[in-house]
Amino acid sequence: MDVRTSGRYAPDTDAPVVPADLAPELGDLGLAPDDLPDGLVVADDTGRVICFNAAAARITGLRATQVMGLPLERALPLEDLEGRRWWSLTDPYGGLATRFGQPERNLLLPGGREVLASARYVRRRPTGPVHRVVVSLRGTEARRRTERSHAELIATVAHELRSPLTSVKGFTATLLAKWERFTDDQKRLMLETVDADANRVTRLIAELLDISRIDSGRLEIRRQPVDMAAAVRRHVSAHIGAGQPEDRFRVEVVTPLPALWADPDKVDQVLGNLLENGVRHGEGTVTIEVAPARPPSEGTTVTVSDEGPGIPEESMSRVFTRFWRGSKRGGTGLGLYIVKGIVEAHGGTIEVGRAPGGGAQFRFILPVGAPAYLL
């Protein structure tokens, strides 16, 4: 017997079964129930289960042979978070004839297993009796990971904002209350501290906006001609001007470089983050190499290496994830996540490895690109 076209179930197998009137449609698409990424459970007009795919078995922990032919409420004894039976509440076969389904909800199976379930009521004619109940099931793991990620982000932001805002509030309140008691030098020191903390808050807000745009695919790239070698030298000069010794940096440029069209502000953000990491977390000389990609027509390669302890092998896969901070604490741990998002938004790639001197080595490639008006 061909269980995929008979419309009946095979109790001695775990193979998913397709109702006879659904088989042609799936066959026309070249699909089987097991091809679907979500759990699929179908009940016939009598309320008995006639289809239970592999994803449904994985999500519920049940086997097809356990549920095929059972009434839907016995096969999937779902309850809401308040302990109420979902099928009694929704009543697909005896409820309103105008109802066409149930939106996705977080429900519980016996034993406390959580699933995300939604239902569709199939009728042969409007307001007619229910011919099929099609239930879609999804696991809650992905949603829980997203919720945990959001919770971590909120906690990190709250922690990072608390320190500078406390400083700003304290100094401004002190200056307002006791302005005349301080010398000009003391006032300048406090105002400089307020200014630095305000800049820190501004950078954090900018990072959060970048993360939002990266995650939603809305990061805009405004391509213009970019002189990568000049941009690198400008960042090195800024670090030297901030007090780093000149011999801390070595810039190597392999010419000729291909013409590069990229977003100059975003390129500065990438370079600034990678050089800051090399200076803060590395030791010895920070080497920045700018060279044509291979082949040169593909774009420009930038490699930033340091001579520090490097990144442990077991941490390599987590470097570009949110909140990764390495061995030294400090910062939000969002910078490299943003760097990767910017490089990939340009159509480029970025990787991390071990430098010849034993430290960390970051290498990214930006494609030649095209002018914004040609995109």
Side-chain angles (χ1 to χ4, degrees):
M1 180 188 298
D2 184 356
V3 298
R4 293 183 180 273
T5 57
S6 67
R8 301 180 63 186
Y9 63 94
D12 58 341
T13 72
D14 286 331
V17 182
V18 184
D21 55 350
L22 295 184
E25 288 80 355
L26 290 174
D28 291 343
L29 295 173
L31 293 174
D34 284 353
D35 296 329
L36 302 177
D38 294 336
L40 173 67
V41 181
V42 180
D44 63 12
D45 54 0
T46 67
R48 295 185 176 273
V49 175
I50 56 175
C51 179
F52 197 85
N53 74 346
R58 184 187 71 252
I59 293 168
T60 62
L62 302 171
R63 300 178 65 189
T65 51
Q66 294 177 270
V67 299
M68 296 299 296
L70 291 178
L72 192 55
E73 63 271 16
R74 285 180 56 197
L76 287 177
L78 296 168
E79 295 182 352
D80 64 15
L81 300 183
E82 297 177 3
R84 297 174 298 183
R85 297 183 181 277
W86 194 54
W87 297 115
S88 299
L89 290 175
T90 57
D91 192 14
Y93 293 94
L96 294 174
T98 55
R99 191 170 293 161
F100 58 86
Q102 296 293 331
E104 187 174 73
R105 292 189 60 183
N106 195 355
L107 300 172
L108 299 175
L109 284 167
R113 184 188 291 262
E114 293 188 40
V115 295
L116 297 171
S118 59
R120 177 78 177 181
Y121 306 156
V122 180
R123 305 176 190 273
R124 291 189 182 277
R125 65 180 188 278
T127 71
V130 171
H131 175 62
R132 293 282 186 263
V133 174
V134 181
V135 181
S136 174
L137 300 174
R138 293 195 300 134
T140 60
E141 293 81 5
R143 175 176 288 187
R144 289 194 177 279
R145 285 195 298 269
T146 300
E147 290 173 349
R148 283 196 298 269
S149 178
H150 289 167
E152 290 174 357
L153 182 60
I154 292 170
T156 299
V157 170
H159 175 76
E160 293 295 328
L161 285 175
R162 183 183 295 116
S163 177
L165 290 178
T166 299
S167 172
V168 168
K169 176 62 177 175
F171 279 121
T172 53
T174 301
L175 286 171
L176 288 172
K178 303 177 181 180
W179 180 267
E180 297 81 4
R181 300 185 185 182
F182 296 109
T183 66
D184 289 344
D185 288 341
Q186 290 173 324
K187 293 174 183 176
R188 176 177 293 277
L189 176 62
M190 285 189 278
L191 289 174
E192 287 174 348
T193 303
V194 169
D195 183 63
D197 286 333
N199 288 336
R200 181 176 166 187
V201 172
T202 301
R203 284 195 301 271
L204 178 58
I205 292 172
E207 286 182 345
L208 294 174
L209 290 173
D210 285 335
I211 287 176
S212 173
R213 295 181 183 118
I214 290 169
D215 288 348
S216 63
R218 294 185 292 107
L219 187 67
E220 292 186 9
I221 301 299
R222 303 181 184 277
R223 297 182 185 271
Q224 302 175 32
V226 172
D227 186 338
M228 185 64 78
V232 168
R233 293 190 180 100
R234 186 172 65 252
H235 280 272
V236 169
S237 297
H239 279 281
I240 294 173
Q244 290 292 330
E246 189 171 348
D247 60 1
R248 180 81 196 274
F249 302 93
R250 181 167 67 245
V251 179
E252 300 176 356
V253 180
V254 179
T255 57
L257 294 172
L260 177 65
W261 287 78
D263 189 317
D265 293 334
K266 299 293 190 295
V267 168
D268 279 341
Q269 199 171 346
V270 171
L271 292 175
N273 194 289
L274 295 182
L275 264 67
E276 179 70 25
N277 276 346
V279 170
R280 178 186 300 176
H281 302 291
E283 298 173 1
T285 302
V286 178
T287 302
I288 308 99
E289 180 188 83
V290 184
R294 294 286 180 263
S297 59
E298 289 189 357
T300 300
T301 300
V302 179
T303 306
V304 180
S305 309
D306 62 63
E307 298 176 346
I311 299 170
E313 196 68 32
E314 62 272 15
S315 298
M316 290 286 188
S317 61
R318 297 187 288 111
V319 166
F320 297 109
T321 59
R322 292 182 185 180
F323 312 119
W324 187 85
R325 293 185 176 92
S327 58
K328 296 182 181 179
R329 307 296 290 180
T332 61
L334 301 174
L336 290 175
Y337 178 83
I338 295 172
V339 163
K340 184 174 186 288
I342 290 173
V343 170
E344 292 181 347
H346 279 84
T349 58
I350 186 168
E351 59 185 15
V352 61
R354 189 166 295 279
Q361 181 181 82
F362 291 88
R363 175 179 288 117
F364 69 91
I365 301 175
L366 292 184
V368 171
Y373 60 84
L374 293 180
L375 297 177

